[in-house]
Amino acid sequence: TGLRHIEHRYRGFLRDTLRAIVLGERKEVDVLPTSIAESDRLAVKELIRRQLQDLHEGRAVLLGVQPVEIANYLSKLSNKKGRRVR
């Protein structure tokens, strides 16, 4: 699909952004670098949203973080939004 193509094209950016969000180094994804094509920006934001929604400790290695760091992020998110942690 189109999203898979975009996900592949920006995989490094997506990984780095998710890692930064998990570690608390970045909170928003409203501002994207100019290296991301204007036509891809909405899709990239959607991919980040979906990957954060589906985040679990098993993705730690892919993001270059420890499972406990993802667990801590999910716990903080759960406390803020009343969301149940998986």
Side-chain angles (χ1 to χ4, degrees):
T1 66
L3 277 181
R4 285 184 188 236
H5 177 72
I6 290 172
E7 184 174 20
H8 180 72
R9 180 184 302 161
Y10 299 109
R11 67 181 174 260
F13 172 78
L14 292 167
R15 179 192 62 239
D16 294 346
T17 299
L18 292 169
R19 180 181 188 278
I21 291 170
V22 166
L23 295 177
E25 298 168 356
R26 183 172 183 168
K27 294 182 186 210
E28 300 291 329
V29 292
D30 290 335
V31 178
L32 297 176
T34 57
S35 60
I36 295 179
E38 189 69 34
S39 59
D40 294 342
R41 289 174 182 260
L42 285 176
V44 168
K45 288 180 183 180
E46 177 63 14
L47 283 166
I48 292 168
R49 187 193 66 75
R50 285 183 185 187
Q51 290 185 17
L52 285 171
Q53 186 177 6
D54 295 338
L55 190 63
H56 56 84
E57 291 89 344
R59 300 223 32 227
V61 171
L62 297 173
L63 298 180
V65 298
Q66 297 296 315
V68 69
E69 291 170 314
I70 291 179
N72 289 340
Y73 168 79
L74 293 173
S75 177
K76 288 177 189 173
L77 188 65
S78 174
N79 291 337
K80 285 183 183 177
K81 296 183 178 180
R83 179 178 160 199
R84 197 172 89 197
V85 178
R86 294 179 188 176

